[in-house]
């Protein structure tokens, strides 16, 4: 008899010690994942300084390679998350969790010894794939080990751990760079996942979905290639130009692959993405929430440290301390949001939070003109605004569809969140570089290639190499051009966030019976993502 089926029919409450060990295994892994994301962003300038020069001052770090330090991780993580969940159902949740952790540890150790930027980028892609397996397998296994209120508390602890990693990831990365090396960031993630691996191997029980029928490989391949083509095209656009043949070819390929993915999913007997769910208006509204938080919150976790360290000249540890103002509200505000739903609908609370975040982004665009430390108050407002929907959208993702569709709904939601983060980062970096090039062209003479290269290096947080490409521009001119472009980007992010707030209010604003707790959804459906 399948163990997962018998466990679902006859729930077994683990003893306190074993249950704590299981929860610790998954939560420690969940703590390492945000550190791998935000820590890599904070470490980017240091990695560029260390690996960008190949022995001569003339050979400078490629800004495209620097962008891939974060984008490679997010791309593989987002595109493979649903496939990893299907593998966990088919071959075993514990097995996929353990293999994912082992791969993450190996990649982390290799990153700590990486000799070149190319090696870092390739290893970050492999690390993202391992993270997808660890997250999908770990959360599915956790759902099988706990039932009822114990499951609610366990997933609450898991969410709090993610919040802890987001809140203090930049600070931890800054401290490690200040007192050790950027390599210590990846080494610490490997050590954390080693502890998780030990506990998970010993205490987790294996479980499978007895009804799993295989992996939608055509859909997975089309989805991954579509995301990869779009991301690569957007990253290359600032260097080669948006109208260049390679960029247009990549973007066209992305559109064609996306259409192919839709066709494959419509014809698949067991699709990775059930398109029929998009017939529910409230389900569509829920998908807007992770997109909104990507643009008002996640993007800042990456692009703002690059500015603070590379352009404003802060040390990594000081930039990490400043970033706590943005991410610390994630530890408290989600609980406040849950309390507010006693009086307001979840959609209203989420929309109100997005409006606050948009106001904070506009405030930040003005405050940064007075210096980096003037950003503390607007960053806190952005963090509070983003944390309001953050604490509710996971529950909404399963409450706005019939209960029997909850597993697929959470899978789509998770993929929208993680893949959206990668796309948002690539797009914002490309737009920032393009705007910086435009402002530089208005201020200093220079050929298009030099202006483009200088702008790309400024956008990656490296004004020294930008000055090497555009020596006629002084440091002040470069900084002002970048600051003006950064302010325009913040206003654009505010506009996107406000638009998302309007859509969320329209689709999710009314209080309905669909607003139920995630614990009301059967365990077999909730864990499939």
């Amino acid at each position: 008899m399948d163990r997962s089926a018998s466990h679902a029919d006859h729930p077994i409450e683990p003893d306190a010690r074993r249950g704590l060990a299981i929860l610790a295994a998954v939560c420690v892994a969940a703590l390492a994942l945000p550190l791998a994301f935000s820590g890599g962003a904070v470490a980017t300038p240091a990695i560029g300084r260390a690996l960008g020069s190949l022995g001569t001052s003339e050979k400078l770090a490629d800004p495209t390679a620097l962008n891939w330090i974060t984008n490679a991780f997010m791309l593989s993580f987002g595109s493979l998350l649903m496939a990893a969940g299907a593998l966990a159902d088919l071959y075993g949740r514990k097995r996929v969790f353990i293999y994912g952790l082992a791969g993450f540890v190996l990649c982390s150790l290799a990153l700590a010894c990486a000799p070149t930027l190319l090696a870092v980028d390739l290893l970050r892609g492999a690390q993202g794939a391992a993270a997808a397996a660890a997250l999908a397998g770990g959360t599915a296994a956790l759902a099988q080990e706990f039932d009822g209120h114990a499951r609610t508390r366990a997933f609450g602890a898991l969410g709090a751990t993610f919040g802890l990693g987001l809140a203090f990831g930049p600070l931890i990365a800054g401290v490690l760079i200040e007192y050790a090396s950027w390599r210590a960031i990846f080494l610490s993630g490997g050590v954390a996942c080693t502890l998780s691996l030990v506990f998970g191997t010993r205490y987790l029980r294996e479980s499978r979905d007895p009804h799993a029928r295989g992996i939608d490989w055509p859909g997975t391949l089309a989805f991954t290639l579509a995301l990869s083509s779009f991301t690569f095209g957007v990253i290359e656009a600032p260097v080669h130009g948006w109208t260049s043949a390679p960029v247009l070819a990549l973007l066209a390929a992305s559109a064609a692959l996306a259409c192919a993915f839709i066709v494959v999913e419509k014809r698949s007997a067991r699709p990775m993405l059930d398109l029929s769910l998009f017939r529910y208006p409230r389900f569509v509204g829920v998908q807007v929430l992770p997109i909104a938080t990507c643009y008002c919150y996640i993007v800042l976790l990456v692009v703002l440290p690059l500015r603070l360290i590379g352009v404003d000249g802060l040390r990594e540890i000081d930039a990490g301390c400043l970033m706590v103002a943005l991410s610390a509200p994630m530890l408290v505000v989600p609980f406040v949001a849950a309390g507010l739903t006693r009086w307001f609908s979840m959609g209203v609370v989420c929309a109100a939070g997005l409006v606050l975040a948009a106001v904070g982004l506009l405030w930040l665009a003005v405050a940064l003109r007075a210096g980096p430390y003037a950003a503390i108050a607007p960053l806190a407002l952005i963090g509070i605004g983003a944390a309001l929907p953050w604490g509710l959208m996971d529950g909404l993702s399963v409450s706005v569809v019939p209960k029997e569709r909850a597993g697929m709904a959470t899978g789509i939601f998770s993929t929208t969140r993680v893949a959206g983060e990668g796309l948002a980062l690539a797009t914002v970096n490309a737009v920032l570089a393009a705007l910086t090039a435009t402002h530089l062209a208005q201020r200093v003479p220079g050929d298009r290639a030099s202006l483009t290269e200088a702008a790309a290096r400024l956008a990656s947080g490296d004004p020294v190499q930008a000055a090497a490409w555009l020596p006629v521009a002084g440091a002040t001119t470069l900084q002002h051009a970048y600051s003006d472009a950064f302010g325009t980007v913040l206003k654009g992010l505010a506009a996107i966030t406000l638009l998302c707030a309007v859509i969320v209010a329209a689709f999710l604003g009314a209080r309905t019976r669909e607003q139920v707790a995630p614990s009301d959804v059967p365990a077999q459906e909730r864990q499939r993502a």
Side-chain angles (χ1 to χ4, degrees), residues 267-325:
R267 296 180 177 180
S268 175
R270 191 176 176 87
M272 182 177 73
L273 176 65
D274 188 350
L275 298 174
S276 66
L277 286 175
F278 288 90
R279 292 181 300 181
Y280 299 98
R282 290 175 61 78
F283 178 78
V284 176
V286 168
Q287 307 314 306
V288 176
L289 291 173
I291 295 173
T293 54
C294 285
Y295 283 98
C296 71
Y297 178 73
I298 296 297
V299 161
L300 288 182
L301 288 176
V302 177
V303 299
L304 190 56
L306 294 179
R307 171 181 175 145
L308 296 175
I309 298 167
V311 178
D312 292 328
L314 296 185
R315 297 181 303 165
E316 282 84 356
I317 188 172
D318 295 329
C321 290
L322 191 56
M323 292 299 295
V324 172

Side-chain angles (χ1 to χ4, degrees), residues 39-120:
V42 174
T44 296
I47 295 174
R49 292 193 299 268
L51 303 181
S53 175
L54 304 179
T56 63
S57 59
E58 290 79 17
K59 293 184 178 181
L60 304 174
D62 182 3
T64 300
L66 291 176
N67 287 334
W68 277 111
I69 293 174
T70 299
N71 284 300
F73 178 85
M74 296 308 301
L75 177 62
S76 59
F77 190 12
S79 61
L80 297 176
L81 190 58
M82 291 187 72
L87 287 172
D89 284 347
L90 185 63
Y91 296 109
R93 287 100 185 206
K94 177 181 177 179
R95 177 179 297 179
V96 171
F97 178 60
I98 296 301
Y99 285 172
L101 284 177
F104 192 92
V105 170
L106 291 175
C107 290
S108 298
L109 296 178
L111 279 163
C113 306
T116 64
L117 271 176
L118 177 61
V120 171

Side-chain angles (χ1 to χ4, degrees), residues 359-413:
V359 172
L361 287 166
L362 294 174
W363 186 7
L364 181 64
V366 176
L368 284 172
R369 298 173 187 170
Y373 291 103
I376 293 176
L379 284 177
L381 182 61
I382 295 170
I384 292 170
L388 284 171
W390 192 279
L392 300 175
M393 57 188 183
D394 288 277
L396 273 169
S397 68
V398 296
S399 69
V400 296
V401 298
K403 290 184 178 182
E404 65 273 11
R405 314 295 294 280
M408 178 63 73
T410 55
I412 295 173
F413 176 80

Side-chain angles (χ1 to χ4, degrees), residues 282 285 289 345 347-348 350-352 354 499-510:
R282 290 175 61 78
L289 291 173
S345 73
V348 168
C350 292
L354 295 179
L499 177 61
C500 291
V502 172
I503 297 173
V504 168
F507 282 74
L508 300 172

Side-chain angles (χ1 to χ4, degrees), residues 192-386:
C193 282
T194 300
L195 295 175
S196 179
L197 186 63
V198 171
F199 280 100
T201 302
R202 179 173 180 180
Y203 292 104
L204 272 176
R205 291 178 290 197
E206 188 59 280
S207 64
R208 295 179 178 86
D209 178 6
H211 305 294
R213 292 183 292 173
I215 311 299
D216 177 19
W217 290 117
T220 300
L221 182 62
F223 184 69
T224 303
L225 290 177
L227 276 180
S228 301
S229 299
F230 182 83
T231 303
F232 196 84
V234 170
I235 289 177
E236 291 292 326
V239 176
H240 298 288
W242 288 94
T243 58
S244 64
V247 172
L248 290 177
L250 286 167
L251 295 180
S254 175
L257 287 165
C259 294
F261 171 70
I262 294 174
V263 172
V264 168
E265 295 308 282
K266 285 184 176 181
R267 296 180 177 180
S268 175
R270 191 176 176 87
M272 182 177 73
L273 176 65
D274 188 350
L275 298 174
S276 66
L277 286 175
F278 288 90
R279 292 181 300 181
Y280 299 98
R282 290 175 61 78
F283 178 78
V284 176
V286 168
Q287 307 314 306
V288 176
L289 291 173
I291 295 173
T293 54
C294 285
Y295 283 98
C296 71
Y297 178 73
I298 296 297
V299 161
L300 288 182
L301 288 176
V302 177
V303 299
L304 190 56
L306 294 179
R307 171 181 175 145
L308 296 175
I309 298 167
V311 178
D312 292 328
L314 296 185
R315 297 181 303 165
E316 282 84 356
I317 188 172
D318 295 329
C321 290
L322 191 56
M323 292 299 295
V324 172
L326 173 67
S327 49
M330 285 292 175
L331 299 178
V332 178
V333 177
F335 299 100
V336 177
L340 289 174
T341 57
R342 296 173 59 187
W343 300 282
F344 307 99
S345 73
M346 289 185 182
V348 168
V349 174
C350 292
L354 295 179
V355 171
L356 287 178
V359 172
L361 287 166
L362 294 174
W363 186 7
L364 181 64
V366 176
L368 284 172
R369 298 173 187 170
Y373 291 103
I376 293 176
L379 284 177
L381 182 61
I382 295 170
I384 292 170

Side-chain angles (χ1 to χ4, degrees), residues 237-239 241-242 429-459 470 478 481-482 484-486:
V239 176
W242 288 94
N429 275 322
V431 171
L432 179 59
L435 289 174
T436 302
T438 299
H439 285 287
L440 283 174
Q442 296 172 353
R443 287 174 166 84
V444 295
D447 60 276
R448 180 182 176 278
S450 297
L451 290 169
T452 301
E453 284 287 347
R457 295 177 189 281
L458 278 173
L470 205 62
L478 292 173
Y482 175 83
D484 290 345
F486 199 91

